[in-house]
Amino acid sequence: MNLAATGPADAPVQTRLRVLLVEDDPGDALLVEEYLADTTLDVDLLWVQNLHEGIAHAARKAPDCVLLDLHLPDAQGVGAVRRVQEACGAAAVIVLTGLAEDTAGADAVASGAQDYLVKGAVTGELLDRAIRYAVHRKQVEHTAAQLRANQQRAQENQRLERGLLPVPMLPPEPRVVPASRYLPGREGALLAGDFLDVVETADGVVHAVIGDVSGHGPDEAAMGVCLRIAWRTLVLGGYRDAGLLALLERILVAERTDPAMFATVATLRLDPASGHADVTLAGHEAPLLVEKGQATQIAARPGIALGFLPGTEDWHTSRVVLPPAGSLLLYTDGLTEGHAGSGPARLGTEGLITVIAAAPDPYGQALLDHLTAATRALDGGRHLDDVAVLLLTWTATGRLPGPRARRSGHEVGHGG
């Protein structure tokens, strides 16, 4: 049964409300219709005489407000409130109680109803205010619940992402000391399509990887994690160089959500005792050798990116002679594709080498902090991209150098 109730012609324009009246007494239902006619509410009123029918109607078209009698043929007391909430949790609930029911209304509110009205004491003005406030409170509660759920989901995602970030697998006193910076371009993210990792195997050789999955979404971040974990597993399993990259490419092709997805990768094997490093590139920039605050790009043969033309396997390993002390800097293009100032020119590798030369402290984490801060300052926020940087440092003595005032030549401090 539909009972149409609208306010006066001069009432302010407002959102039309769907009100479900669950009342088994026709006389009380008629009174509610008359009260609504005296309000300024714009209402579509649907009247049903039992809870089962009301829940069925609510399932088809959710109401904004339910006016609920607590004494129905198929439901009694606060149990009816709970059943309505389960059926249409977004609807405000106002219970209708008798004059002799001293605590029924308060009990219903404690069970989740937004308000209660006492039959025989209802007026049009009171019903108008009760419905408006109940619907508003329910909307506020619903918004707050969604906000809490979103915050909890974000916190869970951050814990998950933090757990997937790499932890170098090195001995307590490694001969090669890593430092890294990882800056996702997506706001609020901890993971991106860029990835890096460092592992020292039983023979004392340090293995490192850095890579960049094309794109900037969560699918790319998931692929980056997948490739990093696969790389570590394969290295520990004895795979090296082109054979290692071939297996990584097979994993990428099998796991990627877009057939156009690819990844650039640089891997290296570093053995300070023998004085050399072996570098294999798959569409990635060659590392920089940093020695005494000056950087040069090492000569390494380029190769095709993973997944670009699957099965091509055009990768070659280049051997690089190392100085007794120095660092190798591996980085993704988010560090070099930004602008070199206010003009259109990009920083590029040569610009990065200049930034390194200007670093007040060319060692360890201090150097990486300088690189990320300086390159972003030059870009001015015009090119926000994922950035991953890995610095591997070794010395002849095994002790890392500290910060130096390179312009004057005086030592100003020591690092660990």
Side-chain angles (χ1 to χ4, degrees), residues 48-376:
V48 296
Q49 292 182 282
N50 60 71
L51 188 58
H52 177 77
E53 186 180 357
I55 289 175
H57 279 289
R60 291 192 293 270
K61 193 171 185 179
D64 298 299
C65 182
V66 178
L67 300 175
L68 177 64
D69 182 20
L70 290 184
H71 296 283
L72 298 168
D74 56 346
Q76 298 286 322
V78 296
V81 177
R82 297 192 184 99
R83 289 175 61 184
V84 169
Q85 290 174 322
E86 292 171 358
C88 46
V93 179
I94 301 175
V95 299
L96 305 174
T97 69
L99 288 171
E101 298 174 288
D102 294 335
T103 63
D107 292 343
V109 171
S111 297
Q114 275 61 57
D115 206 346
Y116 71 93
L117 296 173
V118 179
K119 293 180 182 180
V122 179
T123 64
E125 181 181 358
L126 183 61
L127 185 59
D128 184 310
R129 185 167 62 251
I131 292 177
R132 288 181 189 277
Y133 289 175
V135 170
H136 178 70
R137 282 196 295 270
K138 188 63 179 181
Q139 290 173 344
V140 170
E141 290 174 8
H142 184 63
T143 300
Q146 285 184 319
L147 179 60
R148 287 193 298 272
N150 290 339
Q151 289 175 334
Q152 183 179 9
R153 190 177 302 113
Q155 291 170 354
E156 291 173 350
N157 288 343
Q158 285 192 335
R159 286 195 295 271
L160 176 61
E161 290 185 27
R162 192 174 293 112
L164 293 173
L165 290 172
V167 177
M169 186 178 288
L170 298 171
E173 296 183 359
R175 294 183 301 161
V176 177
V177 178
S180 64
R181 286 300 300 270
Y182 190 86
L183 301 172
R186 289 185 299 134
E187 184 177 356
L190 295 178
L191 285 175
D194 291 8
F195 59 95
L196 56 87
D197 204 354
V198 183
V199 170
E200 181 174 320
T201 48
D203 56 3
V205 175
V206 174
H207 305 257
V209 66
I210 196 161
D212 183 358
V213 179
S214 60
H216 302 285
D219 289 341
E220 288 75 16
M223 178 59 73
V225 172
C226 177
L227 293 177
R228 181 188 70 79
I229 295 174
W231 174 86
R232 175 176 285 201
T233 303
L234 291 170
V235 165
L236 294 175
Y239 291 91
R240 304 288 183 264
D241 306 330
L244 170 60
L245 291 179
L247 290 173
L248 285 180
E249 182 176 67
R250 288 182 59 186
I251 293 169
L252 183 147
V253 171
E255 296 286 341
R256 63 186 175 183
T257 55
D258 181 347
M261 183 182 289
F262 64 91
T264 67
V265 177
T267 69
L268 67 82
R269 290 182 285 119
L270 172 60
D271 184 5
S274 64
H276 69 262
D278 293 324
V279 180
T280 311
L281 303 178
H284 205 90
E285 285 284 340
L288 299 181
L289 175 62
V290 183
E291 186 180 4
K292 298 179 181 179
Q294 302 298 315
T296 55
Q297 190 169 38
I298 66 174
R301 185 172 174 180
I304 192 168
L306 304 186
F308 196 74
L309 290 174
T312 304
E313 299 188 9
D314 183 24
W315 306 301
H316 307 272
T317 300
S318 303
R319 175 154 290 188
V320 180
V321 177
L322 301 176
S327 301
L328 282 173
L329 181 74
L330 295 83
Y331 57 92
T332 58
D333 59 13
L335 192 65
T336 56
E337 285 191 343
H339 295 83
S342 58
R346 302 287 177 160
L347 183 67
T349 302
E350 292 303 317
L352 180 61
I353 290 173
T354 302
V355 172
I356 293 172
D361 182 354
Y363 304 104
Q365 200 68 48
L367 174 60
L368 300 192
D369 292 343
H370 169 75
L371 293 183
T372 52
T375 54
R376 291 200 164 190

